[in-house]
Amino acid sequence: MNNLERIEATAADWIAERDHGDGALPPERQLALQAWLKEATAHRVAFLRLEHAWHRADRLRALQSATPAAVPAWHARLTRASAMRWGAGLGAAVLALVLAIDFGLAPQPHSYATARGQREQVALADGSRLTLNTATALRATVTSKAREVWLDQGEAFFDIAHDASRPFIVHAGGQTVTVLGTRFSLLREGDRLRVAVVEGRVRVEAPRAKPMVLTRDEAALADAGSVVVTRKSPRQLNASLSWMEGKLVFDQVTLAEAARQFNRYGRRQLVIEDAAAARIGIGGVFDANNVEAFARLLHAGFGLDVAVAGDEIRVSSPAAGNQSSGSAVTSMQ
Amino acid sequence: MNDDELSAWFVEQVLPLEAVLERYLRRNWRDAGEIADLRQEVYARVYDGCAQRRPESAQAFVLSTARNLLIDRARRAQIVSIETFADMDMLTPTVDELSPERHTAARSELRLLQLALNLLPERCREVIALRKIDGLSQREVAVRMGITEDTVERQVSKGVRALAAALQAARQGTGDAAPVVPLRRKGTLQ
């Protein structure tokens, strides 16, 4: 027990030190942390567990009362940066000055973005939680009066805290999605928006179409002129959310479509070179971040020719005379 | 799989199972003081065990690892006493434990955090509250509370440990504990 306590105390000290630097360590300390983590798995799991608890606690922001004395986050960042540059003495003066200017300014939206292949969870000030998928960008503003998000690009899952006095509104291109409190996902494809509802009620509006209200297990595809609603089985819905666990689930989609989805995640892009290969039906569960493994399976399972050329993986039907073998459904861990 | 991927998987799939794991350990191990140690040992074994391949069900893998660990420990301690556990079957996870845990909804997660916060020692709680609720930096917390930045950092260190433990205790307290007479489904795990 003593050993565990020592390990946990060290892990906690690291988190506190990193927190002192607002989530970042100076390079030599970062190296020291990595070295300590590598020393023993017990170190790493203790650290991950505490880091997770600290991260979860971000949700407590929702309890902040919206009084004039409260300092919005972007604001605090500004004052901290100034204080560090000019020294503690001037810091207080700067803080007072900025506070005076800030009265009456509307809060700036916070921006969040993920890189390709990255997945990120964001806690909003109202207790809602967003999960951003690969290559996603959105902006969020939460005040005591309103909750708004702009989905500029990509895909996100929304776990929204119920608040009848503040409807949660998402703007995605021309479409608008309004909820009170519910769980749903949005995928923006240029001017089209895909909606899938896990729980609750979601209202979807498009510029030139009648608004539609979706409930549990319903999905919609909205463009500028229409909102088309379909019912999904729970299995289909879970499949469309498998990205939240880093997986892609295909249920007899064409290889062309599978490649298109994979290509959202990695630097290496799948290129399907001929129409016959593109039409092959794919089924199974795949690791979204491992397109190389998928390509190997295409070769092993379908006998397709696979060639890596720089940032491309070129896939084509086998040269004449070879038969493809293997089942049409493959799955991997 | 590199460390970053494995760690991400561990945080997303294994850590949310802490309540289930602790419940299982508490039910099957007499010495309550050893539960934390057992839990961390399970985590380390799961982390190492999944370095090459991730299991289909994280929950089943974690519970099966826990079961094997308890058997190991019992053997090594040569606990032949019937009191420890009546028979090996007692270690079989319940249907409750095998069914997939839903992700905690936003609202109840916040409630859980509030409960956890209230379980912290006074000074810790104030530091954590200023840091997490009001979003003050550690430096601003020091100014507000009239203490040194070093002290704030130390309180954050104590606080994050207490928070992790309190989140566990709060979860047990909200009635997520296992039913008194659990249904058993035998033969599901090796």
Side-chain angles (χ1 to χ4, degrees), chain A residues 1 4-5 8-9 12-13 15-17 19-20 22 38 41-42 44-46 48-50 52-54 56-64 76 79-80 84 119 127-129 159 161 244-245 287 333, chain B residues 3 7 10-13 15 18 33 36-37 39-40 43-44 47-48 53-56 104 106 109-110 112-114 128 131-135 137-140 149 153 156-157 160-161 163-165 167:
Chain A
M1 230 357 210
L4 168 68
E5 284 176 349
E8 202 180 78
D13 286 342
I15 291 181
E17 186 185 331
D19 184 64
H20 192 175
D22 289 322
K38 275 201 154 56
T41 306
R44 192 180 293 269
V45 296
L48 289 174
R49 176 172 168 272
L50 292 183
H52 183 59
W54 192 240
R56 281 169 79 185
D58 285 346
R59 258 191 211 254
L60 287 166
R61 224 44 174 89
L63 301 177
Q64 189 183 33
T79 56
R80 273 203 296 283
M84 283 198 290
R119 206 160 65 244
S128 297
R129 183 163 277 197
D159 182 356
M244 295 180 71
E245 280 158 39
D287 182 342
Q333 300 291 353
Chain B
D3 269 332
S7 295
F10 185 82
V11 171
E12 281 168 32
Q13 299 296 325
L15 285 179
E18 183 151 313
D37 182 47
R39 178 198 68 215
Q40 293 304 111
Y43 282 158
Y47 190 92
D48 287 336
R53 259 165 63 103
R54 283 167 288 188
E56 187 76 43
T104 324
E109 170 84 341
L110 184 56
L112 198 67
L113 281 162
Q114 276 180 277
I128 305 291
R131 185 83 190 81
K132 288 291 185 180
I133 298 179
D134 292 316
S137 69
Q138 283 196 17
R139 171 172 300 189
E140 285 163 346
E149 285 181 49
E153 190 174 318
V156 168
S157 173
V160 66
R161 292 178 70 182
L163 200 61
L167 278 169

Side-chain angles (χ1 to χ4, degrees), chain A residues 10 19 27 77 82 92 138 156 163 167 195 211 230 277 287 301 311-312 314 331:
Chain A
T10 309
D19 184 64
R77 262 200 293 277
S82 312
L138 55 82
D163 186 345
V195 185
T230 51
D287 182 342
D311 277 346
E312 286 184 349
R314 304 211 186 114
S331 82

Side-chain angles (χ1 to χ4, degrees), chain A residues 255 270 272 282 293-304 306 315:
Chain A
L255 177 54
L270 280 170
I272 316 299
I282 304 287
F294 180 65
R296 282 198 296 276
L297 267 166
L298 292 178
H299 178 66
F302 296 96
L304 296 175
V306 173
V315 179

Side-chain angles (χ1 to χ4, degrees), chain A residues 94 131 216 251 316 321:
Chain A
V94 172
T131 307
R216 176 190 287 262
D251 189 357
S316 52

